Structure formats: structure tokens, C-alpha cells
Amino acid sequence: MDAGSLSSSNAGRSRCPLQEQHLQKKHSRENLDRFIPNRSAMDFDYAHYMVTDGRKGKENPSICSPSREAYQKRLAETLNMNRTRILAFRNKPPAPVELIPKEFFSSGSNDKPVKARRHIPQTSERTLDAPDLVDDYYLNLLDWGSANVLAIALGNTVYLWNANDGSTSELVTVDDEVGPITSVNWAPDGRHIEFLLGDEFLQLRTLRGGHRMRVGSLAWNNHILTTGGMDGKIINNDVRIRDHIVETYRGHDQEVCGLKWSLSGQQLASGGNDNVLHIWDRSMASSNSATQWLHRLEDHTSAVKALAWCPFQSNLLATGGGASDRTIKFWNTHTGACLNSVDTGSQVCALLWNKNERELLSSHGFSQNQLTLWKYPSMVKMGELTGHTSRVLFMAQSPDGCTVASAAADETLRFWNVFGAPEVAKPAAKSYNAEPFAHINRIR
């Protein structure tokens, strides 16, 4: 379905979903400045002479004898009057001063070239309208699939925006009695999508049971779809089989608002409105009994929704707390130790790691509603991206890891080229002196 059909299916809305906002730019001539001559570099006496008397001989050659011309030529050479320019706009650059003689520098210096600082754009490169976006901190309404298609839930409708060609389509609209949609999540293949409707979720078929209340969080682990609900339960569903509930994790007393599987698929992080962070390990799971968590972490003082596993260190997890907490914490999930805690000054809504650099991006609520880029592990601010006028509830990352989409309660969807293009890695040099048994990972 093309973008034009979206307006007909939502005639009551003031704006058409996922249509780009165009901002008027100032005319280029407004930025021009005057070209002012450099008066200190001009000889006004010589200029006056050239304008009045100096040109008479050339303009009337009949009044000049050969002897007078020879005299005028010698006089001009003596008094430096062969200049032709009257106005001067630029002085000659001063000769460079060599403070340290070159002989003090070694020609065989081994200094490494300094890496150029990456430019971080401070404004979004594209802004789309997102009317009827539900302003609910506990939901998860935005996801970017591996096929480069972004999905967003606006009220009772799921829309798809194709990043390859910028086209928009409406995937599905549900009745008011069933909606609004509470979560969307792409399967790893990028071709199947799950979206939650209260206490039910849909893929190729409707899967019921397990949760007694609304389900606001989703996470995929291969063929396992994990759901977290307001009832505090976390359920692993095997979408390949009819009896899809294979494991149930019990540990939260209130709504589960954040779920993320580690890249290895071995550990699951869950955050809840009870201010608790749990780390679950599949090796401890059993479908015949209630699953015991690996770590129960209670350092946050507000709801824990923002979760992000580090792409370059498998046991490193970043978490963000709500309005009463405002911190980003880093955890060693093997030991359960809190490695660092940073006060951001505002509600942390979402977290994303840069896949190509050691950087972390956070989105925030009151009062600046900004995105903040941090350098890890120093947690020095590299930049703050502003433009949203309400809290930035959701973020999603493009498959190549370069672009970030943010959706906010101001009903806009913005795209930021915050992570930049990845550098092309140089092939590793071949090692001819390999260590003994280098191909063996473990010796028993």
C-alpha cells in the first residue's frame, strides 16, 4: 500500500503518518558580507597622483617627447612608481617564524598519525510525522528490522517505513476494543513482525494464554519470542510449536517494561516498574518449575526500561532508570557487580550502543528531551542532540549501525546520523611465528 492510501484510512487525523516535515531555509544571499578594502595597505598620495596626473602621458602620447619619456621612466623606477594597483584588499602573509629549528626533529620519528575527530551532526537529517503515538514510558512501539524496514505503532495501527526507498505502508489496523498496540518487534530474519494487543500477540497466527494483563515488552532469541507483562511474568514462547509456552520466569512484582537477550542468546536482562533488574540464564531454566534468576539487582530507584548489551564485551550490560533515578549503570552480568553509575539529570528512556566505536547513546525526558552521546568508559559527553519537544520514548538503530531513529511524545519521528560510517578495517598481517597450540581453545 502506498503512502497516499494512509490518509484515506485515517481521514480523521490532522496529519498523515510518516510524512516528512520540510523546514524553510534562509536565502543564501542573507549570509553574504561586504568586501571592505584594507586601507592600512594603501598609499593614498600615490593613488591620488595616478588618478589625476599620472595617466596624462599615456592618455595623450603626443605631448610627451622621447627625452621626457626616458626621464619619467627613470623617475618611476627610482621612486617605485611602477605600481598599477590603487586599492589593496589583502596584505602579503608574514614570513613564517621557525620557533624550533628543523634539525632538532628526528627524521625517523615513530609518532602515529592523530585520528581526525568525527563530526557529530547536532540536528536530525529527516523528520516524519507520527500522530497518535502513545505517550507511555512502559511500552515499546518502535523497531528497525534487519531488512532495513522500520516499524512503528501509532494508536491502533502499525506502519512500515522502508529506509531503502522512503516508502510508507500500513501493515494492520485493529479495532478500538482491542487496541492500542502496546509493542512491536521484528524477528531476526527481518521478514516477520510481532505486535502486542493487550494480553495477546500476533505473528503468523494468534498466540493466547500465559499473561493475564497487558504485554508491553518483546525480545527475540532465534525462534524463541520472550514477552513481559504487567502481571510481572516473563514467558518464553517457541513460535514453531502449538504449545508455545516453554519457560516462565517469575521475579518481578510489577510490570515488566524492558527485555533484552544478550548477543549469545544465553542471558536475558529484564527491567520492571518495581525498580528491579534481573539477569536470567538459560542454563538454569526448567519448564517444570519456576525459574530462578541468576542475579537480582536493586540499585536503581525507579523503573528500569532502558537496556542495552555491549557489542564488544559480552558480559557488559548498560541500564537506565526512570524519572526518580536518572542514572545509567553498567553491570558485569557474570558476577552481578555494578561497574559504574552516571547521573544524567533526567529520565532515561532508551539506550543504544555504537556498533563501530566505544560509544553509548541515551534518550531522555524532562527537561531537555535530548539524545546524549557518551564516550565509554570515561562517560564524557561527546554531544547532545536536541529537536524533540517532549520526552524521547523510543530509539531504534539501522542494520548498518550508523543511523538512529527516535520517536517522542511530541508525535515526531526523527533520524540522526549520530554514529557515522564505519571505518574499513585493514586486513590483519599474517603471522608466521604462530604460538604452539594456537588452534586449540581448551586443553583438558
Side-chain angles (χ1 to χ4, degrees):
M1 186 177 297
D2 58 13
S5 61
L6 298 181
S7 58
S8 61
S9 61
N10 300 278
R13 298 178 183 172
S14 59
R15 292 178 294 163
C16 189
L18 305 187
Q19 294 301 301
E20 188 162 7
Q21 297 182 356
H22 297 282
L23 301 178
Q24 291 184 349
K25 298 183 178 180
K26 292 184 178 181
H27 198 277
S28 59
R29 291 186 177 272
E30 295 181 12
N31 299 322
L32 297 179
D33 199 357
R34 292 180 298 162
F35 195 40
I36 302 175
N38 186 356
R39 293 181 174 84
S40 63
M42 292 188 290
D43 186 343
F44 284 97
D45 292 335
Y46 171 73
H48 181 267
Y49 168 76
M50 289 297 295
V51 170
T52 57
D53 300 329
R55 296 287 177 178
K56 290 182 178 178
K58 292 184 179 180
E59 294 173 0
N60 302 292
S62 59
I63 66 174
C64 292
S65 64
S67 59
R68 183 175 180 82
E69 288 183 3
Y71 170 76
Q72 293 288 351
K73 182 178 180 181
R74 177 61 64 89
L75 181 64
E77 291 175 353
T78 304
L79 300 179
N80 191 25
M81 296 171 60
N82 287 325
R83 293 169 290 171
T84 58
R85 299 184 62 183
I86 295 178
L87 298 179
F89 294 96
R90 182 186 301 171
N91 288 329
K92 290 185 178 180
V97 178
E98 193 175 86
L99 299 179
I100 303 176
K102 294 181 179 179
E103 55 266 22
F104 283 89
F105 293 98
S106 172
S107 59
S109 176
N110 294 324
D111 294 339
K112 295 182 179 179
V114 178
K115 184 178 180 181
R117 187 173 181 180
R118 177 166 54 84
H119 172 66
I120 302 172
Q122 300 298 306
T123 57
S124 57
E125 62 180 17
R126 184 191 297 263
T127 302
L128 305 181
D129 284 322
D132 296 334
L133 182 73
V134 179
D135 182 7
D136 193 326
Y137 179 80
Y138 303 103
L139 305 184
N140 295 274
L141 305 178
L142 181 70
D143 195 27
W144 203 329
S146 59
N148 209 17
V149 177
L150 183 141
I152 185 171
L154 302 177
N156 296 350
T157 305
V158 175
Y159 293 95
L160 303 180
W161 182 79
N162 191 323
N164 297 312
D165 56 15
S167 61
T168 303
S169 59
E170 179 181 324
L171 179 64
V172 65
T173 298
V174 300
D175 296 333
D176 292 336
E177 295 78 15
V178 181
I181 295 168
T182 56
S183 184
V184 295
N185 198 244
W186 282 102
D189 61 7
R191 295 182 299 158
H192 301 90
I193 189 171
E194 297 283 352
F195 57 94
L196 299 177
L197 307 172
D199 60 352
E200 298 180 0
F201 56 98
L202 302 178
Q203 186 206 24
L204 302 177
R205 56 193 175 93
T206 301
L207 304 179
R208 295 183 175 88
H211 292 286
R212 303 187 310 271
M213 306 173 74
R214 80 169 185 182
V215 182
S217 53
L218 286 170
W220 279 96
N221 186 4
N222 293 322
H223 55 272
I224 299 296
L225 177 63
T226 303
T227 60
M230 188 179 283
D231 54 12
K233 289 196 300 183
I234 299 170
I235 297 177
N236 286 339
N237 303 271
D238 190 333
V239 298
R240 302 171 301 176
I241 59 179
R242 181 180 298 275
D243 297 328
H244 50 86
I245 299 177
V246 292
E247 290 158 350
T248 300
Y249 299 166
R250 296 180 176 89
H252 289 284
D253 298 326
Q254 296 186 40
E255 182 170 12
V256 179
C257 50
L259 284 176
K260 280 289 174 17
W261 281 99
S262 64
L263 298 181
S264 66
Q266 184 64 29
Q267 291 187 331
L268 173 70
S270 66
N273 194 32
D274 53 5
N275 310 342
V276 175
L277 169 68
H278 280 116
I279 306 298
W280 313 84
D281 197 291
R282 293 213 69 189
S283 62
M284 303 176 62
S286 172
S287 58
N288 298 324
S289 62
T291 303
Q292 179 66 31
W293 56 79
L294 178 63
H295 300 294
R296 179 181 173 90
L297 308 170
E298 303 180 13
D299 294 37
H300 282 290
T301 59
S302 188
V304 185
K305 176 196 175 186
L307 307 171
W309 288 92
C310 179
F312 53 83
Q313 186 175 338
S314 61
N315 64 329
L316 178 60
L317 175 71
T319 61
S324 300
D325 181 88
R326 305 181 301 276
T327 66
I328 298 175
K329 299 184 187 297
F330 299 90
W331 309 88
N332 182 332
T333 60
H334 288 171
T335 64
C338 183
L339 306 176
N340 192 12
S341 181
V342 179
D343 189 350
T344 67
S346 57
Q347 180 187 50
V348 183
C349 300
L351 293 171
L352 286 176
W353 286 95
N354 186 342
K355 297 178 181 179
N356 308 307
E357 300 284 347
R358 293 182 177 242
E359 299 168 355
L360 181 71
L361 183 69
S362 57
S363 70
H364 299 271
F366 180 83
S367 59
Q368 297 183 23
N369 308 305
Q370 83 281 16
L371 283 74
T372 303
L373 184 63
W374 310 83
K375 186 67 177 177
Y376 182 85
S378 65
M379 292 306 286
V380 173
K381 288 184 181 180
M382 299 181 63
E384 289 194 338
L385 314 180
T386 57
H388 284 295
T389 56
S390 297
R391 58 181 180 173
V392 188
L393 293 166
F394 319 111
M395 288 197 302
Q397 194 171 9
S398 62
D400 63 5
C402 299
T403 305
V404 171
S406 61
D410 59 10
E411 297 187 334
T412 64
L413 177 65
R414 293 176 180 265
F415 295 83
W416 314 82
N417 189 21
V418 61
F419 288 149
E423 293 185 357
V424 179
K426 295 181 179 179
K430 294 182 179 180
S431 176
Y432 295 98
N433 297 320
E435 294 292 331
F437 309 109
H439 63 287
I440 300 176
N441 295 325
R442 181 181 301 174
I443 300 178
R444 297 187 178 181

